[in-house]
Amino acid sequence: RTWQRRKIIRLTPRMNLVEARYEMLKAATRKPCVIMVGDSLTAGVPWSEVAPCPGVANYGFNGDTSAGVLYRIHEVILLKPRAVFLMIGANDLLKGVAISEIAANIRTIVDKLETEGIEVVVHPVVPFVDAGTGIVDLNRAVISGLADTKSTIVPLPIELADLRDGLHLGPTAFTKWNSVIGPLLLKYCAGHSS
C-alpha cells in the first residue's frame, strides 16, 4: 500500500507552510480514518493525545479561511478518509468576509467530500471575544445551507471561559470537544489498524 511506504520529506525553501504540512501529513499518517480540517482552533488540538483512537489526522492551519479549505480540499480527498470533521469560519468573520460567502464555501466543501463518499461532521464556529452576533448569524446560515446534505452538525459546548486568549482553545476546551465527538471518532476508526 502506497500510504504505508516510508517517504523522505524534502522541504525546500520554495515550499510554503501549507505544502510542507501536507507533505508531512501524507508521510506521517497511515491511511487516516478521520481528518480534522479547520483553522488554528483545529491545528492547536493535540489530537494524538485527546482522540480515543489512532488514525485521526490534523489538517488544521493557523489563519485558515473557508476559501483556503475549499482551495485545498482535494488534498484531503486524495487521502480517502472515512470522515472529515470540519470547523471553519472564525478567520473569515475576523477578515470581514460576507456570511453568505462563508456559508457557500462550506456548502461546496461538504458537497465535494460527500461526492467522494466521505462523511462530513460540521462543527459550528465556537464563540470568541469580539465576535459579536456574527457567529450566531454564520452558524445559522451554515446549518440552514447544509439542511439537504448528509452531513452531521455537531455543536461543541465550548464557552468563552474555555479559551486561553479570547480566541484559541485551552485544555478544558480540548476535553469538551473530545467528549462530544469521541463516540463518532470511535465509529469512524472501528477496524482501523494503528
Side-chain angles (χ1 to χ4, degrees):
R1 296 181 181 153
T2 58
W3 51 266
Q4 288 179 321
R5 292 187 196 134
R6 287 222 173 255
K7 178 180 176 186
I8 296 173
I9 305 168
R10 299 197 193 288
L11 302 180
T12 69
R14 293 180 184 230
M15 286 181 115
N16 65 34
L17 176 63
V18 173
E19 292 167 332
R21 180 94 184 240
Y22 181 66
E23 288 303 313
M24 290 187 295
L25 175 69
K26 287 192 310 186
T29 306
R30 293 186 169 131
K31 186 176 186 317
C33 53
V34 174
I35 299 180
M36 310 303 283
V37 176
D39 51 29
S40 58
L41 301 179
T42 301
V45 179
W47 292 109
S48 60
E49 296 172 26
V50 299
C53 59
V56 176
N58 189 343
Y59 201 48
F61 289 93
N62 294 344
D64 212 353
T65 63
S66 60
V69 170
L70 179 58
Y71 179 76
R72 288 188 312 282
I73 201 62
H74 68 281
E75 296 170 348
V76 172
I77 291 168
L78 289 173
L79 294 172
K80 299 183 187 325
R82 292 180 187 166
V84 165
F85 285 57
L86 174 68
M87 183 168 58
I88 195 72
N91 290 314
D92 294 85
L93 287 174
L94 289 170
K95 292 177 181 184
V97 177
I99 288 174
S100 59
E101 182 179 341
I102 304 166
N105 286 343
I106 292 171
R107 171 61 191 242
T108 304
I109 293 164
V110 169
D111 286 345
K112 286 178 178 284
L113 292 166
E114 288 184 347
T115 297
E116 297 297 325
I118 299 168
E119 294 189 42
V120 185
V121 175
V122 177
H123 299 300
V125 175
V126 297
F128 58 89
V129 174
D130 299 328
T133 61
I135 286 181
V136 173
D137 296 338
L138 172 60
N139 289 339
R140 188 177 299 126
V142 168
I143 291 167
S144 172
L146 297 176
D148 63 340
T149 68
K150 296 177 185 176
S151 63
T152 303
I153 308 294
V154 178
L156 300 174
I158 295 172
E159 303 166 0
L160 290 176
D162 300 318
L163 306 178
R164 62 180 161 82
D165 61 4
L167 176 61
H168 297 97
L169 307 179
T172 58
F174 301 157
T175 303
K176 287 181 176 184
W177 194 344
N178 188 47
S179 71
V180 170
I181 66 169
L184 282 172
L185 290 174
L186 289 172
K187 169 188 161 188
Y188 293 120
C189 290
H192 184 265
S193 58
S194 53

